[in-house]
Amino acid sequence: MGRHSREGEPGSGGEPAAGGLVVGPSDEHFRALVELSPDAVFVIVDGYHAFANWRGLQMLGASKVADLQTRPALDFMDESIRVEAEQRLAGMVDGNNLEYVEETLVRLDGQAVHIEAAGRQISFGGRIGALVVARDISGRRSSEAKVKAAEEKFRAAFQNAPTGMAIVDKAGMFLDVNAALARLFGRRVATLHGDLIWHHLHPEDSERVRGDFARVVEGTEDDVSGTFRYRTGAGGDGWVHASARSPTSCTWST
């Protein structure tokens, strides 16, 4: 890809901008406007950064636009997405608007920055380029990763717990059960999904347990516990001590 016009380039006309691209009055107005943007704003012309507001410079670890012009703009994209990024850049230059996509930039110091970016075609300095607006989402990515890790940790603890455990909805339907509870009931895990707790209670204890459960669902109590009889898959009865708490989860132990 070719570079854009440089300062003092013959026949360029106008006054050279700080970043090296020859611009006109409308471009200076553009510069003043986007410096107020809370998001990073870049203009890419002929494959190189022609403009970056202070947020953009900060995002890429630069102090001035000239710092970014030592290499093509695509070199700041993570290598794993560079082909797709090149296609998106070409599309913007051709007039195709880019809706927000998640990408990964690589700063001058080599640090990766996760961004959400959108863009469109722009005429800058009398030349056609791409206007890209980017937002740093590294913090959001980190939070999402932590949530995912916590969920996976809970899932492992839930599935491997020696105590029977279940997650149920407000009607008492099993949304998830672990292997220990399936063994307690003498059933397979898959057959319990979508089933109701009440189908596994002894009829003489059902009304009392339903009342305890209702208080948790209604929020009058945070948790309840008690001992009652349950029915096994083989048709026999057993005794279990169980507790329920909101959001509705239940633990059962013999």
Side-chain angles (χ1 to χ4, degrees):
M1 300 179 201
R3 289 183 181 272
H4 48 263
S5 301
R6 297 295 182 179
E7 289 185 14
E9 188 172 294
S12 60
E15 294 298 324
L21 183 71
V22 178
V23 300
S26 61
D27 296 315
E28 293 296 350
H29 179 71
F30 165 82
R31 290 171 182 271
L33 180 64
V34 298
E35 285 298 345
L36 301 175
S37 172
D39 294 324
V41 179
F42 304 99
V43 175
I44 300 172
V45 177
D46 292 340
Y48 286 79
H49 287 97
F51 171 81
N53 68 350
W54 74 274
R55 286 279 189 185
L57 295 174
Q58 184 183 51
M59 180 177 284
L60 291 178
S63 59
K64 55 187 181 300
V65 177
D67 296 337
L68 306 179
Q69 295 175 333
T70 58
R71 48 179 155 155
L74 286 171
D75 282 8
F76 291 92
M77 305 301 297
D78 186 81
E79 195 170 342
S80 65
I81 60 169
R82 205 165 288 172
V83 173
E84 293 85 350
E86 184 173 14
Q87 294 171 348
R88 288 194 281 267
L89 178 59
M92 285 183 279
V93 173
D94 288 340
N96 300 316
N97 290 350
L98 174 69
E99 300 300 327
Y100 275 102
V101 295
E102 292 190 9
E103 297 180 318
T104 302
L105 296 179
V106 180
R107 289 164 43 95
L108 286 169
D109 60 9
Q111 180 181 343
V113 181
H114 300 295
I115 66 166
E116 188 177 60
R120 55 164 296 167
Q121 184 191 83
I122 188 175
S123 175
F124 191 80
R127 306 179 77 170
I128 299 300
L131 170 68
V132 180
V133 178
R135 182 172 301 154
D136 189 338
I137 60 170
S138 299
R140 188 179 80 191
R141 282 280 194 92
S142 177
S143 297
E144 290 173 349
K146 289 178 181 177
V147 169
K148 183 178 179 181
E151 289 175 345
E152 290 175 351
K153 186 176 180 180
F154 167 79
R155 172 61 49 192
F158 177 85
Q159 293 294 347
N160 297 309
T163 301
M165 301 179 71
I167 299 173
V168 300
D169 67 10
K170 293 181 178 181
M173 184 177 72
F174 290 120
L175 302 178
D176 201 0
V177 299
N178 68 354
L181 186 63
R183 288 193 297 270
L184 185 68
F185 286 168
R187 298 179 182 273
R188 290 183 294 110
V189 170
T191 63
L192 291 174
H193 287 166
D195 200 358
L196 293 169
I197 294 176
W198 326 122
H199 293 166
H200 303 275
L201 300 184
H202 191 284
E204 294 179 9
D205 295 333
S206 180
E207 184 177 352
R208 173 171 57 85
V209 175
R210 280 176 179 264
D212 291 342
F213 183 83
R215 291 198 300 276
V216 173
V217 171
E218 293 165 1
T220 56
E221 291 191 35
D222 293 331
D223 59 80
V224 296
S225 61
T227 302
F228 54 86
R229 286 166 289 181
Y230 67 95
R231 290 288 175 86
T232 68
D237 296 333
W239 284 91
V240 67
H241 181 79
S243 62
R245 65 190 59 188
S246 182
T248 316
S249 61
C250 300
T251 58
W252 309 59
S253 59
T254 54

